[in-house]
Amino acid sequence: MMNLPPPAEELRLLDAELRQLDARRVVLLRRREWLIHTLRAARGPQTAGGTRPGAPDWPAGAGTAVHRPEATAPGVQNVLLVLGGILLTIAAVAFTLVNWGDMGVAGRALVLGAVTVGVLGAPVALLRRGLTSTAESVAGLGIALTVLDAYALHEAVFTGTDGLGYAAAASAVLAGTWAAYGVGVSAQAPPPMTGAAAQEGPARRGPRLVLRLPLPLAAAAAHLPLLLWALAIDAGPHTLTAVLLVTSAADTAVALRTAPVPVRVVALVGACGTGVLGALSAGWLCWSASGAGTAARAATLLFLAAAIALTAARFAPQRDVATGAALAAGLCAVAGAGGVLRAPAPGEWAVPACLACGIALLAVVRTQLPAPLRQGLGLASLTVQALAVLWAVPSVASALFGPVAGVERPWSGMPQDTWAAVFTDVLRPAHASTVPLVLAAVAGVLAVAGRGAAWRPAAAVGALVLGWAAAFVLPTVLELPYGAGLVAQGAVVVAALGFAEWARRAAAGPSPLSRTAVLLALVTSVDVAFASLASEPVTIGVLVALTVLFGASSPRPGLGLFTAPASLVYAAALACAIGASAGWQPQHTALLVLVVPAAAALIAARLAGSPATVPVEGAGAAAGLLALVLAVTAPPVFALVLSLGGVVAAGTALRPDRRPAGYVAAVLFLLATWVRLAAWDVTTAEAYTLPVTVLALVVGYLRRRRDPALSSWTAYGAGLAVALLPSLLAAWGDQHWLRPLLLGAAALTVTLVGARSRLQAPLVLGGSVLALVTLHELAPYIAQVAGALPRWVPPALAGALLLALGATYEQRLRDARRLRGVLGRFH
């Protein structure tokens, strides 16, 4: 390795070696191309995929392109067969309709018979040769020809028969013929003889479906005979409904007991379609019947539909299908029984009758029926109960929102009864007398069914809400006297609060049930308050009772979070009602309303750390805003209300955890001062700005004492700006000398204080204002001097100034930097 040739010799050797490699590469590439060409030429017949079976898949040579087929051979075959069958069918239809009249009876029979028999017999021979797809297409053509034969037979022989009757008979014959044809051809077709099947021989031969078209078409045609027959004899709606249900029953049997999948699909679709139409028709006949006998006839049809659905649920292989069928069966049975019970009873008892039947379905839950049936029937019962509750919702909503309309005409006089008090301005729901019964029944079912179940808490809440709705609507439905109705709804409030306390103790703390009961008590109390607006003494009495009731409930743990703010809200409403009753002006009533924020502040101080603290303070703040709104039209009283509100906020700020309330107190005091000054027609700007300045400077001083590193702009900037800038704007438009003199003195004082204390904000603001005030005072003299000077003097002075500045530019820059450094060292 140490005997290396010289570089020039080594380079010559490398070049020679590379030339030999290039020549060898060219020879090898030519040989590869010749081998690929030889193998392709000797490959032989090609398959659909472009390769001969068993031949190696050699890669294509350079520059060659492989053309892949865009459609498979079976796909092309099926398209051609379907297209050929369609064309032949169209030709047969055209021949039958156009050229039929040009031939005699014998010729017609001969042509149709020969063509039909030949076409129907061809699939057997095709199947023996293994041409299954071709046989399928020819069989479809033969089936279409049988339809044309039926039509031609009617036109030639049975011209006088009724069209619907003949169609019914023809569809029955065709359905049977197609079914027999499909089974017969499949039975004569040989089994496949490949692989293991060829070794086993005829031992594996059995019934199988070779042609997939005849049997599904026969199943579809079997839907028509009964329906067409019923239409032909002008059957009534009951007969047509029965025909639909019988057809559905037959489809159900076929779908459950037939092996071929296409036949099952057709039967299942037909069973669902005819069954739904039949059930809807039977339900309409049952619920529109005018007598018990007619309703019973229609109910029999509904029971038939229920039996069909229940049978399907019993033998359905899929659990979901079985559950859905059982649900449909339960709904049909309830509709039938409810329709029978509705006919002899008044209209308001229709829903309770259906509800009773739906509840009765729950008896099957504890039986030995299969689980899907029990689940479906239970869902049917639940659906009926949910629909009954939805039917009752409009009545409950009307009873709940009806008294709200009384706000437009307060103290207009007591109505005769509770019904009139509720439905004076809202739409009266029909058949509302049984609403409490329906709600109470569903509530009882939930309470009983939820015991021991995993969904017991949700069931308990639902039962509580429905029971409350029943008790809430009951006084209105019974049309109790106005006073008795208010007492009854007040009793509902008390009962809800008592139940909330019981539920809290039972759960050893707040629970969804106790919170729901409290919310229901609040909703009922609001409705009672609105309903009491019909009479002045009733309004005051109800508000006093609600204030005391919720106030007494507030010390209870878990209830005060809702009842304490509610008591304050009703106290504010009571204050407004007392003021209106006494004939006070709104601004005077606002002073009475202010008692509520004061009481809220005291209560919140007692409840420190309790979850009810924030709601109580929120209710007090809302009452304070109400007082401000009432007093806004009278500025002197408005100022007094603002001041009293500031006192309440200042008292709240004494608590360590409510220090930010001090800012609210300051704002209220400031607004009170401004409103008072505006009421006195004070237009001097300093009268409005100086209180803000004093307050802001005091706050800034206190903040700098706690934080000496605080910037003077943050501590005093806002206060000084409020004090100096509005006065500066007023001084520029003031023609007298007193304001500029006082403002200049104040600005000088601020500047000196800033220079002595080395504070940037007072120095900059005071100096700027002092300079502008001085400029304002000297402006007339400057203008007078400028008018007396010749016009060439200002340009000359400007030029001289520029020369002086240019001459001392470096010194001026040094002085500016020094001044900036001095100011930068200030706070």
Side-chain angles (χ1 to χ4, degrees), residues 243-267:
V243 165
L244 289 173
L245 294 177
V246 170
T247 305
S248 177
D251 283 332
T252 303
V254 172
L256 293 175
R257 296 302 181 184
T258 303
V261 175
V263 180
R264 288 205 308 268
V265 171
V266 173

Side-chain angles (χ1 to χ4, degrees), residues 301-689:
L301 297 176
L302 281 173
F303 293 147
L304 175 60
I308 296 171
L310 198 61
T311 303
R314 177 63 182 84
F315 296 101
Q318 289 83 10
R319 183 184 181 90
D320 294 339
V321 175
T323 302
L327 170 63
L331 294 178
C332 290
V334 170
V340 173
L341 296 176
R342 177 203 62 86
E348 60 267 18
W349 290 97
V351 175
C354 289
L355 179 61
C357 298
I359 294 175
L361 280 179
L362 292 177
V364 303
V365 176
R366 301 189 180 277
T367 61
Q368 299 300 322
L369 290 175
L373 271 68
R374 289 187 281 113
Q375 184 178 1
L377 294 176
L379 289 176
S381 176
L382 180 62
T383 303
V384 173
Q385 296 179 58
L387 293 175
V389 171
L390 288 178
W391 170 80
V393 165
S395 298
V396 178
S398 299
L400 186 62
F401 296 106
V404 179
V407 177
E408 299 179 356
R409 51 177 193 286
W411 300 348
S412 58
M414 289 191 299
Q416 295 181 353
D417 51 31
T418 308
W419 184 275
V422 172
F423 296 113
T424 300
D425 299 296
V426 297
L427 183 63
R428 300 187 180 189
H431 308 310
S433 58
T434 56
V435 167
L437 176 62
V438 170
L439 295 174
V442 179
V445 170
L446 282 177
V448 174
R451 291 186 303 179
W455 45 276
R456 179 180 178 180
V461 172
L464 175 61
V465 173
L466 293 177
W468 165 83
F472 180 77
V473 178
L474 186 61
T476 304
V477 170
L478 296 179
E479 299 183 12
L480 295 179
Y482 177 69
L486 289 179
V487 172
Q489 291 187 343
V492 173
V493 177
V494 175
L497 290 176
F499 185 85
E501 177 63 16
W502 174 84
R504 185 193 65 81
R505 292 182 179 180
S511 63
L513 194 61
S514 62
R515 292 193 178 98
T516 303
V518 174
L519 292 177
L520 294 177
L522 292 176
V523 171
T524 310
S525 66
V526 172
D527 193 79
V528 172
F530 279 113
S532 67
L533 292 176
S535 174
E536 177 181 345
V538 173
T539 301
I540 296 176
V542 167
L543 291 177
V544 168
L546 292 177
T547 303
V548 173
L549 176 62
F550 285 106
S553 303
S554 299
R556 302 289 182 180
L559 300 184
L561 182 65
F562 303 96
T563 57
S567 178
L568 293 173
V569 170
Y570 286 125
L574 176 61
C576 295
I578 293 175
S581 177
W584 295 351
Q585 295 295 325
Q587 61 270 21
H588 300 146
T589 304
L591 297 174
L592 183 59
V593 174
L594 277 177
V595 176
V596 177
L602 295 176
I603 295 172
R606 295 282 305 271
L607 297 175
S610 173
T613 303
V614 175
V616 167
E617 292 176 343
L625 290 177
L626 176 61
L628 294 177
V629 172
L630 292 174
V632 72
T633 57
V637 182
F638 187 46
L640 178 60
V641 171
L642 286 170
S643 301
L644 295 176
V647 171
V648 174
T652 303
L654 295 177
R655 295 162 49 193
D657 57 338
R658 290 294 185 268
R659 296 301 186 192
Y663 298 105
V664 178
V667 171
L668 291 176
F669 285 132
L670 177 62
L671 292 177
T673 304
W674 285 356
V675 172
R676 185 71 263 181
L677 292 174
W680 287 338
D681 296 330
V682 175
T683 58
T684 304
E686 289 76 9
Y688 295 91
T689 58

Side-chain angles (χ1 to χ4, degrees), residues 693 697 716 719-721 723-724 743-770:
T693 300
L697 292 179
Y716 304 119
L720 293 175
L724 299 176
L743 179 61
L748 178 60
T749 303
V750 170
T751 303
L752 294 176
V753 171
R756 182 178 181 279
S757 303
R758 303 186 67 181
L759 297 177
Q760 191 177 99
L763 182 63
V764 173
L765 289 175
S768 301
V769 172
L770 180 61

Side-chain angles (χ1 to χ4, degrees), residues 271 600 819:
L819 177 62

Side-chain angles (χ1 to χ4, degrees), residues 215-224 266:
L215 288 183
L217 290 178
H223 293 81
L224 300 177
V266 173

